[in-house]
Amino acid sequence: MKVVVGLSGGVDSSVTAYLLQQQGHEVVALFMRNWNDASVTLEDECPWIEDSNDALMVAQKLGIPFQVIDMSDLYKERIVDYMFDEYQKGRTPNPDVLCNREVKFDVFMKTAMSLGADKVATGHYARVDSTIDENGKEIFHLLAGKDNNKDQSYFLCQLNQDQLSKALFPIGELTKPQVREIAREMELVTADKKDSQGLCFIGKVSLPQFLQQQLVPKEGEIIEIFKDSPLFSQEIPVFSSKEDELEFLSRKINYKKSDGKVIGKHQGAQFFTIGQSKGLGIGGHKESCFIVSRDMENNIIFVGEGHSFPGLHKKALKIDNTELHWVREDLRLKNGESMEVMARFRYRQELQKAVIYQFENAFFMEFENPQSAIAEGQFAAWYLEDELIGSGVIS
């Protein structure tokens, strides 16, 4: 089988290529160059140069063909511009999820197929399996990686059946230490290379500095909301339907300037996210202050003190039906149906017990325990045991 590997210059994709070669496949390495602007990274030069060299050395060591493809224009259009737009709206995007959906498993995969590939492989800590249903149709399953500490299935939560049918994740059965050990045994140059940090394929990035390329700093006020605010002492109404209850539980509290007091200044609400405590420059509190809301129109940030601040927690989240994605279309809920699942809305977040509900107007997820810092724009993903079956953008 001919397999094209997305060789990134890291240890995970290096071992991916080696394992496929050991399995007897014809392996071709492609390096994606996705970013050319060194002015916004925290290194002296764009990391792609070093990564490309490392990827080339791995390919030479393994004796496999190597090619660099420039996808920087596409990446800017589909990922970076999306990020700017989302932050401008006061939402919290996840570029890594988008990178997988829009770049690696779309344009990159199509490029690989045009080269005659049967499959595309990446160094993700995830697994893909398949079964045959009663109609004889092959159903593909996106499974969590065996290494609980490195499971990256969340980043693949927007893939569809067609993409999974062409995908391979050879290191999904391994742990990170095992991957490094294989790389050392093979004397691969990437064996002890640190994992990449920051944005997908861009490198170590100061997010505010990155956003300031297009989003203009503008001074605004930081307003503290207090725990004894009447906003949190309202009686919970009696609901006529489960949908009304979920709408209430997932609602966004619209704080006003008069609900608290001014305790500081910031340089732009668009540079911050819900649940953030660092970079606010707030002192004089026993506990850290966390952002609980942003008024983008008036450029105001609202904060509350402490992890237990009531405005930081919600029991439910809402997803517009247009933002709903089922990896397993055969499990899609019909109007009025519900399902018990395990869920997360951040990478590395421990899976949480939840129930998902489908209604004509929207989709809801209700957690067994209230969750901290649910932010608009994040991807919520839901699982049955270790299989990721769907995801959606929080509204």
Side-chain angles (χ1 to χ4, degrees):
M1 189 162 65
K2 185 173 182 179
V3 183
V4 167
V5 177
L7 204 61
S8 67
V11 66
D12 298 328
S13 63
S14 301
V15 172
T16 292
Y18 167 71
L19 292 174
L20 289 166
Q21 189 183 49
Q22 291 298 106
Q23 291 163 15
H25 300 299
E26 178 189 351
V27 182
V28 176
L30 286 187
F31 177 87
M32 284 179 276
R33 179 171 137 193
N34 285 355
W35 196 247
N36 294 323
D37 187 357
S39 65
V40 295
T41 63
L42 299 184
E43 291 120 347
D44 293 332
E45 60 180 28
C46 266
W48 77 263
I49 298 171
E50 180 188 337
D51 290 341
S52 175
N53 288 336
D54 288 343
L56 173 60
M57 290 172 73
V58 169
Q60 289 174 334
K61 174 82 174 178
L62 298 178
I64 58 176
F66 176 80
Q67 189 176 335
V68 176
I69 55 173
D70 190 342
M71 306 185 81
S72 52
D73 289 344
L74 174 86
Y75 189 84
K76 181 185 181 303
E77 177 191 332
R78 295 206 190 174
I79 312 301
V80 178
D81 290 349
Y82 165 84
M83 271 185 65
F84 284 131
D85 187 52
E86 288 287 274
Y87 273 101
Q88 185 83 58
K89 291 175 182 173
R91 289 157 62 92
T92 304
N94 189 308
D96 294 283
V97 174
L98 265 293
C99 182
N100 285 319
R101 187 184 80 187
E102 301 285 334
V103 180
K104 291 180 194 169
F105 294 92
D106 185 359
V107 179
F108 179 79
M109 181 172 269
K110 288 170 183 170
T111 302
M113 294 298 148
S114 73
L115 296 174
D118 299 297
K119 297 271 188 177
V120 167
T122 62
H124 282 99
Y125 287 85
R127 295 170 294 147
V128 64
D129 198 359
S130 71
T131 53
I132 307 297
D133 69 10
E134 63 273 13
N135 300 315
K137 182 182 178 183
E138 190 170 15
I139 304 292
F140 291 89
H141 309 273
L142 174 58
L143 307 174
K146 286 288 189 182
D147 187 339
N148 288 330
N149 191 46
K150 287 294 293 181
D151 168 38
Q152 293 174 316
S153 57
Y154 174 80
F155 289 138
L156 304 168
C157 70
Q158 288 275 294
L159 299 193
N160 58 36
Q161 286 288 301
D162 181 57
Q163 290 166 320
L164 286 175
S165 74
K166 301 180 180 79
L168 291 175
F169 308 118
I171 64 169
E173 298 286 345
L174 303 175
T175 64
K176 185 74 177 198
Q178 287 174 322
V179 167
R180 288 205 182 276
E181 187 56 37
I182 291 170
R184 290 188 192 105
E185 287 174 6
M186 285 303 301
E187 298 181 344
L188 299 179
V189 68
T190 55
D192 295 303
K193 187 174 179 179
K194 288 183 179 179
D195 289 347
S196 61
Q197 301 292 323
L199 303 181
C200 172
F201 277 99
I202 292 181
K204 293 180 182 177
V205 172
S206 163
L207 190 56
Q209 184 184 348
F210 187 77
L211 293 172
Q212 282 173 23
Q213 290 180 98
Q214 287 190 20
L215 307 185
V216 180
K218 181 185 175 185
E219 189 172 86
E221 294 175 327
I222 300 174
I223 293 177
E224 182 175 4
I225 307 295
F226 300 100
K227 289 180 181 177
D228 58 0
S229 168
L231 289 166
F232 308 126
S233 58
Q234 297 172 355
E235 283 190 32
I236 297 177
V238 177
F239 302 103
S240 58
S241 69
K242 184 64 180 179
E243 185 175 5
D244 287 344
E245 180 189 358
L246 291 167
E247 194 75 61
F248 176 83
L249 293 174
S250 62
R251 78 197 188 287
K252 181 180 177 182
I253 298 175
N254 292 313
Y255 299 99
K256 301 187 298 294
K257 188 173 177 179
S258 57
D259 292 329
K261 80 167 187 177
V262 178
I263 61 166
K265 300 281 187 183
H266 63 83
Q267 291 305 309
Q270 69 268 31
F271 301 130
F272 298 90
T273 187
I274 302 300
Q276 184 173 337
S277 62
K278 293 180 180 177
L280 293 171
I282 298 171
H285 292 73
K286 285 184 179 178
E287 296 185 73
S288 296
C289 283
F290 295 88
I291 296 175
V292 295
S293 183
R294 292 175 295 171
D295 179 345
M296 302 308 293
E297 189 177 338
N298 297 302
N299 195 31
I300 297 172
I301 287 176
F302 297 95
V303 302
E305 183 180 0
H307 288 280
S308 61
F309 184 77
L312 196 57
H313 300 267
K314 283 204 283 194
K315 192 85 161 46
L317 60 81
K318 180 180 180 179
I319 295 172
D320 289 340
N321 287 331
T322 56
E323 296 279 18
L324 207 51
H325 172 77
W326 287 86
V327 178
R328 289 283 304 277
E329 280 288 346
D330 56 312
L331 297 179
R332 180 185 286 272
L333 296 181
K334 296 182 178 68
N335 186 22
E337 289 184 336
S338 63
M339 181 191 295
E340 290 186 8
V341 295
M342 300 297 285
R344 60 166 57 102
F345 50 90
R346 280 190 294 268
Y347 175 54
R348 288 192 178 277
Q349 179 188 20
E350 283 189 26
L351 286 169
Q352 306 291 319
K353 281 188 178 181
V355 179
I356 52 176
Y357 297 85
Q358 182 65 68
F359 295 103
E360 189 175 339
N361 298 316
F363 175 97
F364 293 91
M365 179 181 289
E366 183 179 21
F367 295 96
E368 183 176 75
N369 300 308
Q371 298 297 306
S372 174
I374 296 174
E376 294 172 70
Q378 290 173 316
F379 286 92
W382 46 96
Y383 297 71
L384 289 178
E385 296 182 351
D386 63 348
E387 180 180 3
L388 194 158
I389 63 168
S391 66
V393 182
I394 300 170
S395 60

